[in-house]
Amino acid sequence: MRPIRPGDRGPAVAEIRTVLAGLELLPADGHADDYDTQTERAVRAFQQSRGLSVDGRVGAETWRALDAARWRFGARALYHAVPEPLTGEDVRSLQERLLEMGYDVGRADAIYGIRTSRAVAQFQREMGLTPDGACGPHTVNALRRLGRKVVGGRPQWLRESDAIRQAGPTLVGRTVVIDPGHGGTDPGVVVPDGALRWSEADLVHDLASRLEGRLAAAGVRVQLTRGPSPLTCLPDADRAQLANSLGADVFISLHTDGHVNPEADGVATYHYGTDNGVTSATGERLAGLVQREIVARTGLRDCRTHAKAWDLLRLTRMPAVRVEVGYLTSPLDRGRLVDPRFRDRVVEAIVAGVQRMYLPIERDVPTGSIDVSELRAIVAAGTVVD
């Protein structure tokens, strides 16, 4: 869909304003079908609160989030529907409530899937309710009556950390999905440079191909979400679904950033997280490791790590990060990014970050100290350090 933006009018704008008014972000009166400055501010506030890109426009992802926000917890019965599962803000509220009580719903993705249904059934059994996995009035009332079930630690963090520990320290045999952003009809950030024309889609595909080679040499099974010249741009939800269907252990999405101010520069890494403090613990750790390795090995400005609820991070079921490797609109960063040797350093940093995620915390090593060529040597020798 074409993003709805300031200056637009029509029924779609009226629907957006109605949802925002229901969230008390916008008065119910005014020009009901006019995307005015007040509406733009409300949309930005909504995007900020939901961990989305704050651009003041209503694209496909913001539209889905607005549609989900219509539902408040307790306003309807929730159940596992096939093939189209129920989605909404009420589902996310339920998942976050269950997570803080110690039940395993996986990621709070706002989708009432089988894992959420099983967690609800477990809660119902423990409360003496009929364990049908559906969240009706009796289950809602029981949830509202109870305080937190688990204290002194985040249960989901413990589960994810234990899964990483059980997997062992080696990369051999793991499956990593690499996602070169954009592609096809969406080139991403495009910057003319004299007779040349640099596009985000082309640069990140080159990065992804180099990363594929480094990881494969370390014994990793690697899958890219797209080739160099796809006909269309795959939606983020489909990229996440591909990673889920492959049973990936790690998902890495590669992008470059852009800004109207050419002075904006640096690298940032994103992981799944919400404004309520719910986060993917392993995704957060991987983001921190990758960010620090890239900064240490490349000298890019440290723009730090951030929690976001983008579809790409919310819908993946494994540790997932999105790396914005510099600003293509910055002459400083662009000069680095177009250098193949610099892209090799970025790739080695990402490989080192992934390897460190699998090392036990007590055996972690200093940032910048892993020699990626040694990982290749270990695989070539057929040995694994335990």
Side-chain angles (χ1 to χ4, degrees):
M1 63 175 286
R2 182 188 74 83
I4 301 171
R5 63 192 73 198
D8 288 348
R9 300 177 65 94
V13 176
E15 192 169 354
I16 291 168
R17 289 178 59 90
T18 298
V19 176
L20 293 171
L23 296 171
E24 300 181 349
L25 293 173
L26 197 65
D29 56 358
H31 302 287
D33 64 347
D34 183 12
Y35 202 122
D36 55 14
T37 301
Q38 189 180 41
T39 305
E40 182 186 5
R41 284 199 299 266
V43 168
R44 288 179 178 273
F46 174 80
Q47 291 170 325
Q48 180 71 39
S49 70
R50 295 309 192 273
L52 304 174
S53 297
V54 183
D55 57 11
R57 299 180 298 171
V58 180
E61 196 163 31
T62 298
W63 183 271
R64 285 192 295 271
L66 283 165
D67 187 56
R70 300 173 190 272
W71 298 105
R72 302 293 183 88
F73 183 57
R76 60 174 174 168
L78 299 173
Y79 54 91
H80 181 217
V82 178
E84 293 295 331
L86 296 179
T87 62
E89 196 70 15
D90 52 348
V91 178
R92 190 181 79 158
S93 296
L94 169 65
Q95 291 171 326
E96 291 178 351
R97 182 79 173 104
L98 290 168
L99 280 170
E100 82 170 2
M101 295 175 69
Y103 296 96
D104 182 11
V105 301
R107 191 160 295 175
D109 57 8
I111 301 172
Y112 204 102
I114 186 63
R115 201 163 173 179
T116 299
S117 178
R118 287 172 178 165
V120 169
Q122 182 184 352
F123 169 78
Q124 290 169 326
R125 278 192 297 271
E126 295 181 3
M127 294 300 298
L129 302 173
T130 302
D132 58 6
C135 186
H138 294 298
T139 303
V140 169
N141 290 336
L143 282 164
R144 285 174 171 165
R145 286 196 306 267
L146 291 182
R148 292 183 62 185
K149 179 181 177 182
V150 177
V151 295
R154 290 182 293 173
Q156 188 64 16
W157 181 85
L158 295 173
R159 276 190 290 265
E160 292 185 6
S161 298
D162 186 62
I164 292 294
R165 184 181 61 81
Q166 295 287 347
T170 178
L171 294 181
V172 176
R174 306 207 186 280
T175 299
V176 174
V177 171
I178 306 171
D179 172 47
H182 306 281
T185 54
D186 178 13
V189 179
V190 178
V191 178
D193 186 10
L196 301 175
R197 174 182 177 274
W198 302 107
S199 80
E200 176 182 3
D202 291 341
L203 281 171
V204 297
H205 186 270
D206 179 82
L207 269 173
S209 299
R210 292 169 187 267
L211 181 56
E212 178 185 24
R214 297 294 195 286
L215 288 170
V220 176
R221 295 188 292 267
V222 185
Q223 174 70 48
L224 269 61
T225 59
R226 69 170 176 89
S229 303
L231 296 177
T232 60
C233 181
L234 194 66
D236 283 353
D238 291 352
R239 298 174 195 239
Q241 179 55 41
L242 173 62
N244 292 339
S245 68
L246 292 171
D249 297 293
V250 174
F251 179 89
I252 300 168
S253 184
L254 299 173
H255 290 253
T256 62
D257 217 330
H259 199 275
V260 292
N261 184 353
E263 297 298 317
D265 67 328
V267 56
T269 308
Y270 299 85
H271 61 89
Y272 173 72
T274 72
D275 57 328
N276 293 336
V278 175
T279 185
S280 165
T282 50
E284 183 176 3
R285 180 163 186 253
L286 176 60
L289 292 169
V290 167
Q291 178 73 12
R292 292 196 296 274
E293 288 287 346
I294 291 177
V295 170
R297 293 169 186 259
T298 67
L300 286 168
R301 184 192 302 273
D302 185 2
C303 295
R304 304 189 183 281
T305 63
H306 308 273
K308 289 291 182 181
W310 294 324
D311 286 349
L312 198 71
L313 304 176
R314 178 175 62 88
L315 299 176
T316 42
R317 294 197 291 264
M318 69 292 302
V321 296
R322 169 171 162 165
V323 189
E324 299 275 356
V325 190
Y327 282 72
L328 199 54
T329 49
S330 159
L332 175 63
D333 282 359
R334 185 169 64 252
R336 293 163 165 172
L337 286 166
V338 300
D339 182 349
R341 293 168 299 181
F342 178 85
R343 297 199 294 274
D344 279 338
R345 292 203 299 274
V346 171
V347 162
E348 292 186 355
I350 295 173
V351 174
V354 173
Q355 173 62 82
R356 286 179 64 190
M357 184 185 71
Y358 283 102
L359 294 176
I361 293 178
E362 65 273 11
R363 289 180 51 196
D364 197 10
V365 297
T367 298
S369 65
I370 288 181
D371 184 349
V372 174
S373 65
E374 291 183 1
L375 299 179
R376 295 197 293 270
I378 291 172
V379 175
T383 60
V384 176
V385 177
D386 194 358

